[in-house]
Amino acid sequence: TAEELRRCIENQEEVEESLVDEFGMTAFHILFSTAEPSGEVLEVLVDNFPYHILGWKDANGKLAMEYLMNNWTPENKTLLQRALQYWMLDPLVRWVATSLMESMQNKVQATLGEDDKERRSTLFHEAHSAFAKYETVAAASILEMALWKGKIEYGSSNNGVQRQTVDREGCRCVCGSIVVIPQVIQFLGFAGSDPTRHY
């Protein structure tokens, strides 16, 4: 039951090194591939696992929610709505990404309202692609702010011997983001684009 699962997670002394099984399946994959996935169990998983796990693919190259969409019932539609809210919409609220919020809400609603299996899958993957792109840009922005802050706190000296007073804009120009961010971006699934165009 959901309560037993919650107690099991709470009593776990240390976090497992891996959040997937031998088939690359997360707890969300396993839940959504069952004949009648439980909404209560989903809430336990949402409360205890980071949202980005929903973006992981298993050994078959499938996202957890693809299993849910293959067994399309009113109950599973409700579960998909909750999962998409947790995965794609809640992070945008936390990031105060109001400009993208409406667009993503429309994509999610279009996916949920589509009865044709193939079209629903297409809409889902379009929403996933849009969110993944924004998530990567947001990560790069956070990294740039961290580098910028570090440069402000450290001063303009590179060796730490002499700390100088520098202006905020000056620190942004010499914080190293133009070098660091392209090297990091390639590991975030955003290859082939120019991340510097966002700054």
Side-chain angles (χ1 to χ4, degrees):
T1 66
E3 188 56 38
E4 290 173 335
L5 175 60
R6 189 182 301 276
R7 284 199 300 268
C8 179
I9 294 174
E10 290 175 352
N11 293 334
Q12 193 171 353
E13 295 183 357
E14 57 183 35
V15 178
E16 295 287 342
E17 291 185 3
S18 175
L19 295 173
V20 299
D21 65 12
E22 59 186 307
F23 302 106
M25 299 182 80
T26 67
F28 291 102
H29 282 93
I30 295 170
L31 172 63
F32 292 159
S33 61
T34 60
E36 296 182 0
S38 164
E40 292 181 352
V41 171
L42 175 59
E43 290 303 322
V44 173
L45 298 183
V46 163
D47 288 342
N48 289 279
F49 291 96
Y51 77 91
H52 66 266
I53 291 179
L54 281 164
W56 292 4
K57 294 182 178 180
D58 64 12
N60 293 319
K62 288 189 175 184
L63 297 166
M65 282 174 279
E66 291 184 79
Y67 290 99
L68 197 60
M69 291 190 297
N70 286 338
N71 182 22
W72 199 237
T73 65
E75 293 75 19
N76 285 358
K77 178 178 178 179
T78 300
L79 293 183
L80 180 63
Q81 182 175 17
R82 177 66 181 102
L84 289 173
Q85 176 73 37
Y86 176 60
W87 182 28
M88 296 183 181
L89 300 181
D90 288 351
L92 298 181
V93 173
R94 290 193 297 271
W95 301 335
V96 198
T98 52
S99 61
L100 188 66
M101 190 65 178
E102 184 177 352
S103 173
M104 286 305 303
Q105 284 178 328
N106 290 338
K107 291 180 184 298
V108 167
Q109 290 306 315
T111 301
L112 294 170
E114 182 57 60
D115 291 327
D116 181 76
K117 181 179 178 180
E118 291 186 8
R119 178 62 180 157
R120 182 170 58 249
S121 177
T122 298
L123 291 170
F124 169 75
H125 286 291
E126 287 176 358
H128 175 211
S129 178
F131 177 72
K133 181 176 180 179
Y134 182 80
E135 189 177 37
T136 304
V137 172
S141 298
I142 292 170
L143 176 57
E144 183 192 26
M145 287 188 287
L147 292 168
W148 187 7
K149 179 181 178 183
K151 191 63 177 177
I152 291 172
E153 293 177 347
Y154 193 69
S156 62
S157 174
N158 289 326
N159 57 20
V161 175
Q162 181 181 5
R163 293 173 62 91
Q164 302 176 12
T165 301
V166 292
D167 65 281
R168 291 171 58 84
E169 189 59 35
C171 284
R172 185 181 187 193
C173 294
V174 297
C175 71
S177 62
I178 197 70
V179 175
V180 174
I181 291 176
Q183 301 303 315
V184 174
I185 284 291
Q186 62 183 317
F187 297 103
L188 299 179
F190 214 40
S193 62
D194 179 8
T196 60
R197 64 190 170 91
H198 301 290
Y199 308 103

